[in-house]
């Protein structure tokens, strides 16, 4: 029985072999290129009968023909159907995503503060309903953590779709003995034994891109 989001997340990967995790990584890379690389998407549409020739150029080690329901318009209807078994990589990804959705729900549920802080809980519930109303299905990906630690001012990404309205990156919390002491004090002030605090995030508003 899973008791926390941390345990559930760990199990997602512990029960898979290194090869299976690598396969998931390459499927993810394929989907990222499909959604964010215009040249990749164009090349794929021009080589529908031989998509492997495209992915090979990008270093993607999975065969798109084994996951047609993930990307081909004529096959997407089979994604949640028994016929999807004909495309093993699509099944692999679907099972993984179902587990990640479950993990998301656990994180959201762990943030329940109805007993510890009823007023905060009521505010959080309003925010969740507001997001559901304004953002539609995309709101489902938000876990609404009850705490977050920002170790930088602003973000280097500048993504137009940022849900945090982060400003331009101005600097980060550099490591030093003084900062380490301060951070330990902050961490000690958070009830680490509480599952609610474990649903929080570190390095909030930080992105790996460089302006």
């Amino acid at each position: 029985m899973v008791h926390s989001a941390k345990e559930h997340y760990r199990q997602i990967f512990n029960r898979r072999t290194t090869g299976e995790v690598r396969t998931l990584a390459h499927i993810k890379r394929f989907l990222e290129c499909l959604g964010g690389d215009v040249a990749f998407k164009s090349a794929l549409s021009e080589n529908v009968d031989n998509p492997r020739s495209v992915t090979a150029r990008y270093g993607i080690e999975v065969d798109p023909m084994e996951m047609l329901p993930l990307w081909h318009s004529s096959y997407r209807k089979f994604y949640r159907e028994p016929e999807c078994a004909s495309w093993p990589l699509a099944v692999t990804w679907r099972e993984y995503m179902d587990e990640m959705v479950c993990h998301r729900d656990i994180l959201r549920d762990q943030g329940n503060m109805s007993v510890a802080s009823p007023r905060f809980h009521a505010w959080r519930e309003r925010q969740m309903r507001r997001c559901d109303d304004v953002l539609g299905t995309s709101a489902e990906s938000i876990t609404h953590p009850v705490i977050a630690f920002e170790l930088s001012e602003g973000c280097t990404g500048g993504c137009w779709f940022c849900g945090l309205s982060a400003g331009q990156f101005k600097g980060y919390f550099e490591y030093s003995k003084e900062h380490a002491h301060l951070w330990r004090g902050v961490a000690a002030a958070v009830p680490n034994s509480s599952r609610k605090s474990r649903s929080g995030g570190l390095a909030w508003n930080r992105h790996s891109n460089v302006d």
Side-chain angles (χ1 to χ4, degrees), residues 45-81:
S45 64
E46 294 171 0
N47 295 273
V48 175
D49 295 328
N50 185 25
R52 189 71 188 93
S53 64
V54 179
T55 55
R57 297 202 302 268
Y58 282 75
I60 298 173
E61 300 174 5
V62 289
D63 187 353
M65 296 300 286
E66 294 186 17
M67 51 183 180
L68 288 173
L70 294 182
W71 64 276
H72 198 296
S73 59
S74 298
Y75 295 86
R76 284 176 181 157
K77 60 185 178 182
F78 298 118
Y79 184 62
R80 288 288 176 185
E81 302 299 329

Side-chain angles (χ1 to χ4, degrees), residues 29-51:
R29 180 59 180 159
F30 171 83
L31 294 174
E32 289 173 340
C33 288
L34 184 64
D37 189 325
V38 176
F40 178 87
K41 187 174 183 178
S42 177
L44 197 64
S45 64
E46 294 171 0
N47 295 273
V48 175
D49 295 328
N50 185 25

Side-chain angles (χ1 to χ4, degrees), residues 119-204:
R119 292 180 63 188
F120 177 83
H121 177 74
W123 174 84
R124 182 172 181 264
E125 288 289 308
R126 288 198 301 272
Q127 297 308 310
M128 291 168 65
R129 289 194 294 270
R130 179 179 64 83
C131 287
D132 289 341
D133 179 55
V134 176
L135 302 177
T137 56
S138 63
E140 296 175 358
S141 63
I142 304 174
T143 60
H144 298 275
V146 298
I147 190 170
F149 303 97
E150 184 174 356
L151 299 183
S152 64
E153 183 176 359
C155 178
T156 61
C159 302
W160 64 266
F161 51 82
C162 178
L164 303 171
S165 297
Q168 283 288 317
F169 177 70
K170 295 181 180 179
Y172 58 89
F173 194 64
E174 295 185 8
Y175 179 83
S176 68
K177 290 184 178 180
E178 293 76 17
H179 287 173
H181 178 73
L182 175 60
W183 171 247
R184 282 194 291 269
V186 171
V190 177
N192 291 323
S193 60
S194 170
R195 290 180 181 174
K196 296 168 179 52
S197 65
R198 297 175 191 171
S199 68
L202 185 63
W204 205 254

Side-chain angles (χ1 to χ4, degrees), residues 109-122:
D109 293 344
Q110 280 187 184
N112 187 303
M113 300 284 285
S114 58
V115 176
S117 180
R119 292 180 63 188
F120 177 83
H121 177 74

